[in-house]
Structures are given as structure tokens and as C-alpha cells.
């Protein structure tokens, strides 16, 4: 179901070089990213910082002087994949001792010096707020010492660093508007790996959007763990200490999105992730007002049962969530809605699981990322609740929601049959070089014959057939 949809988890990407080194130092970096779009966006910051210091990037790890893995810690299996990869790189290092291996991102932050000391797998460990320190850390590692910086910051947003775009299509850019998360959902490791929430100066966000547009990009996705809580108050003041008057004079997410939408009517705007407890009607009205803001909301529900939601510390009930869905449907009747679901959270009963099924039936999502619960060290849930749903039950519940979602996705794609939909072309289809792929406003993947069309163009596609994940048609 995830074909040609960006998987939130565990994807590998090499780098493509688009920006020349300043004064080349002859050293080549191979950078691999796992995890969410935030991590991919961070890798673009990392590449930019190192290119400025004279490094170049390579797509071939065998010729690299540095291998960096930007890692994810969200579930156990995400970490296992990285460990496996590290074993492979360790073998290469045996025959090439000068090779430096670095672990960046969330797993680095979670395990800190453990990867250096106990496991002796790596030379450099860097947390998500310490990338400016990379040139120093590399220099330290080159002298044979272990290098680590996992200090989290309350201010760092890398606002002044213009990222080196590493995407493959040159059409859609991911732009971080905030970092960290203050929510403390009990299952989640992100607050520990990414630190406190902080918003980025809207001016620097707008400049980045304009630069991307001028470089040919036609879509920006504004990224944050909880975009609805974006708030910029000038001077970098923290939200908690603002007076009501200062809050009134600050920029909230709805206002930021409007500013971005005004960059150009030809620049599509998307965002991720919305949080049901904070998503306002103001945001929905701005979405409805601008044609170039895509009609698509990713609104993770996690569970359809209020008791489970409370244990998850999500800050909303089933009823509240359904009310938010009602608002979306009222203000934007044709809005695509997707979600995240976790099955088998601590103590989840069969009845509680059925509430997730019934909620899914009620909402009928266009798309969903679905996971079985994976206990993470240090989280509230790990400290407070027993991870007591048997693995086979977690998996059985997961396959139930996956099957149900497939049916709903199929209903949604079928709905487009015989209709024409506007698509932004992203590139060649995975399945055939003769076909192009793009997305419509609702984020459905659309595939159609290539003709003389190019990525970055908008086309209207008449939909002739569909699968649960894809619309197939021809340009009209
Ligand atoms: N900030 C986003 C989610 C980021 S993590 C939000 O609040 O919605 C992406 C998804 O991973 C989450 O929505 C959740 O469904 C899943 N996830 C997070 N921690 C998990 C865990 N311990 N086990 C299984 N899935 C988890
Ligand atoms: Fe994790 Fe919750 Fe923050 Fe999302 S909102 S990153 S699930 S703590
Ligand atoms: Fe993973 Fe960190 Fe993102 S844990 S999902 S890479 S914020």
C-alpha cells in the first residue's frame, strides 16, 4: 500500500550532489537517512554544513571517506536495521581503517556514548541539535579519538543554513518549521531524542520557500512533530511565558501557512504532522481559502478508544477526534485524510481494539501508517505500564487494521474513476519508465503516460482505472 508513498520509516537514501564544494578537501561523504521526513530534511542541513567545509558527497559508499547514517529510534525494528547496516560498514572499515563511521540523529541521541564505548561500532556520534559541530567532530575523529556531541538545544533551528536538497525529483522540498516536541505521548521516544519544541523564524522559512520555488521546486511540505503548535513571537520567546498580548502579536501556524501560500499560486503547500488536540478551524479555513494549499491532512489518531488514548497521553478523546474530522469534512468536503494507528498498546483489550476498527470505519481514511506497539526505553509507557499484549495478538490486530485500511483506500481511489484531477508531476513511475507519476491535491498517487511531459509541470489527468494505492489515467 505504500508504493510510491513516502514511507515514514526506515527508508534508505544515498545523496546526490547539487552544490559544489567551497574549497575541496578531497574527502567524500556517503550519507544514508532513515526515519521520518524531519530526518531527511536534517540530512540536507548536514550535507550543506559539510559541503561548506570542502567535503563532497557520493552515492557509492565504497569510495567514501566518511559514512554517516542519520538514524531513527521510533521503533525497535528501526534501530535493528541500523545495527545491521553498521555491522556491514564495520567489515569495510577492517580493510580501510581510515574510514570514519558516524551515527547521527535520533538513535545517536538515544544511545549517546553507548555506540562508541560498549559496541565499538562507530567513530562519531552526533545528536540532532549538534550538526554545526560536525566539522570539529570529524577533525577529532581523524586524530583517532572518539567524537561525540549529543547536547540538545532549546534554540537551535538551523534557520540560517540553506539546505543542500537531496531529493531525487527537484519538485518537492521538505522544510522544517519547528524542531522537537513537548507532548510526551507515553509511547513515544521523540521528546527524548529531539528535545524541547521550538519554532523557527517565519522570515527564514519564507526565504527558504522562495529559494526552493526559484530553484524550480513546485511543492513545499512544512514539517514539524506538531505543526499546529507552531508559534513565533519574535525575539525567540518561549510560548509558555508569553502574555496574551504577545501571543496576539505572534505568528501562528495558520498565519505562517497563509504567508507561504502567497509565495506563488504555482507553489503547492503541504504540511505534516497535525495534532488532533491542537488542530484549529482557523487552519482549516486558510486551507480552504487557497487553491495551492493541498486538501490533505495527516491526523494521527493512534487509537479509537478514549481509555487507551488517555494512557497514551494524547490529550484528546475519541469524541474530540471525531469532532475534528467533522470540522474538516464541513470546511473542506473533498479533503483527503490520513492517519497513524498503533495496535497492541499496553493493556489494550479486544474491545478497545474494536473501537479503533469502528473509528476507522467511521472516518474511512484515504491512507494510514499502521504499527504494532514497540516499547521504547525511558518513555512514560515503559515506566508506567506493562507491555503486556502478546506479540501475536499485536500482529493479528495490526493485520486487521491493515486489511481494513486497504478496503478504505480502494474505496477512495475508486471514487476518482471517470473524473479529472489536477496533478503535479514528480517523476518517472516506479513500475514503468514510460509512465510518469505525481500526486493530486488529496495526495493520491496518479500514474499516466509520459508523452513530452516533465517533472514540475501541472497536468489534468482523466482517471481510467485504479488500485488501492494508485490512480491510472491519461492527461487531458
Ligand atoms: N508527531 C507525530 C508522530 C511522529 S512518530 C504525531 O504526533 O502524530 C510517527 C508515528 O509512529 C506515530 O504517529 C505513531 O503512530 C508511531 N509510533 C511512535 N512511537 C511508537 C511506538 N513506540 N511503537 C509503535 N509505533 C509508534
Ligand atoms: Fe511523539 Fe506525541 Fe510528539 Fe508525536 S506528538 S512526536 S507521537 S510525543
Ligand atoms: Fe524517527 Fe526521530 Fe523521526 S525517532 S520518526 S527519525 S523524529
Amino acid at each position: 500500500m505504500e508504493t510510491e508513498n513516502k514511507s515514514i520509516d526506515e527508508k534508505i537514501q544515498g545523496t546526490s550532489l547539487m552544490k559544489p564544494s567551497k574549497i575541496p578537501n578531497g574527502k567524500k561523504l556517503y550519507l544514508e537517512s532513515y526515519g521520518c521526513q524531519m530526518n531527511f530534511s536534517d540530512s540536507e542541513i548536514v550535507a550543506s554544513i559539510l559541503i561548506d567545509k570542502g567535503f563532497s558527497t557520493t552515492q557509492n559508499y565504497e569510495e567514501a571517506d566518511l559514512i554517516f547514517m542519520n538514524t531513527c529510534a521510533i521503533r525497535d525494528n528501526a534501530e535493528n536495521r541500523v545495527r545491521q547496516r553498521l555491522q556491514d560498514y564495520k567489515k569495510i572499515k577492517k580493510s580501510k581503517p581510515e574510514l570514519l563511521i558516524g551515527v547521527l540523529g535520533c538513535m545517536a541521541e538515544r544511545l549517546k556514548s553507548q555506540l562508541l564505548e560498549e559496541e565499538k561500532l562507530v567513530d562519531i556520534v552526533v545528536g540532532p541539535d549538534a550538526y554545526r559541530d560536525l566539522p570539529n567532530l570529524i577533525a577529532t575523529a581523524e586524530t583517532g579519538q572518539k567524537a561525540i556531541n549529543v547536547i540538545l538545544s532549546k534554540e537551535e533551528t538551523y534557520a540560517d543554513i540553506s539546505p543542500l536538497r537531496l531529493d531525487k525529483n527537484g519538485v518537492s522540498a521538505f522544510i522544517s518549521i519547528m524542531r522537537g516536541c513537548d507532548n510526551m505521548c507515553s509511547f513515544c521516544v521523540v521528546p527524548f531524542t529531539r528535545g524541547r519544541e521550538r519554532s523557527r523564524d517565519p522570515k527564514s522559512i519564507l526565504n527558504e520557500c522562495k529559494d526552493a520555488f526559484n530553484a524550480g521546486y513546485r511543492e513545499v511540505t512544512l514539517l514539524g512533530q506538531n505543526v499546529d503548535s507552531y508559534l513565533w513571537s519574535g525575539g525567540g520567546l518561549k510560548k509558555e511565558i508569553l502574555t496574551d498580548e504577545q501571543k496576539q502579536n505572534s505568528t501562528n501556524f495558520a498565519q505562517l501557512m497563509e504567508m507561504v501560500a502567497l509565495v506563488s499560486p504555482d507553489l503547492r503547500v503541504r504540511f505534516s504532522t497535525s495534532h488532533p488536540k491542537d488542530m484549529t478551524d482557523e487552519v482549516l479555513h486558510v486551507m480552504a481559502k487557497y487553491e495551492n494549499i493541498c486538501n490533505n491532512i495527516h491526523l494521527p489518531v493512534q487509537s479509537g478508544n478514549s481509555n487507551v488514548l488517555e494512557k497514551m497521553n494524547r490529550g484528546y478523546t475519541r469524541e474530540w477526534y471525531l469532532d475534528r474530522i467533522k470540522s474538516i469534512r464541513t470546511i473542506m468536503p473533498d479533503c483527503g485524510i490520513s492517519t497513524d494507528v498503533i495496535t497492541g498498546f499496553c493493556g489494550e483489550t479486544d474491545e478497545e481494539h474494536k473501537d479503533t476498527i469502528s473509528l476507522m470505519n467511521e472516518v474511512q481514511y484515504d491512507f494510514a501508517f499502521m504499527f504494532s506497539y514497540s516499547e521504547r526505553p525511558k518513555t512514560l509507557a515503559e515506566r508506567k505500564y506493562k507491555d503486556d499484549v502478546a506479540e501475536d495478538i499485536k500482529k493479528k490486530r495490526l493485520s486487521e487494521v491493515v486489511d481494513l485500511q486497504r478496503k478504505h483506500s480502494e474505496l477512495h481511489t475508486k471514487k476518482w474513476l471517470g473524473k479529472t484531477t489536477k496533478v503535479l508531476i514528480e517523476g518517472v513511475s516506479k513500475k514503468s519508465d514510460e509512465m510518469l507519476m505525481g500526486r493530486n491535491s488529496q495526495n493520491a498517487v496518479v500514474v499516466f503516460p509520459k508523452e513530452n511531459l516533465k517533472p514540475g509541470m501541472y497536468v489534468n489527468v482523466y482517471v481510467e482505472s485504479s488500485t488501492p494505492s494508485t490512480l491510472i489515467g491519461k492527461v487531458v
Side-chain angles (χ1 to χ4, degrees), residues 339-350:
T339 200
D340 294 346
V341 172
I342 298 178
T343 63
F345 184 66
C346 310
E348 186 189 66
T349 64
D350 262 329

Side-chain angles (χ1 to χ4, degrees), residues 414-476:
K414 279 210 171 120
K415 191 177 74 180
W416 288 102
L417 291 177
K419 292 194 179 132
T420 298
T421 186
K422 185 176 167 185
V423 174
L424 172 62
I425 307 178
E426 289 179 23
V428 181
S429 156
K430 268 188 196 164
K431 296 205 178 105
S432 158
D433 285 348
E434 293 310 304
M435 306 284 275
L436 291 174
M437 69 75 63
R439 280 160 216 270
N440 66 7
S441 175
Q442 288 75 8
N443 212 27
V445 173
V446 187
V447 172
F448 47 90
K450 203 174 196 173
E451 300 172 30
N452 289 323
L453 303 161
K454 296 258 158 6
M457 289 167 72
Y458 288 99
V459 285
N460 287 312
V461 177
Y462 176 79
V463 181
E464 294 170 317
S465 61
S466 69
T467 72
S469 62
T470 315
L471 308 178
I472 302 141
K474 60 169 190 249
V475 173
V476 290

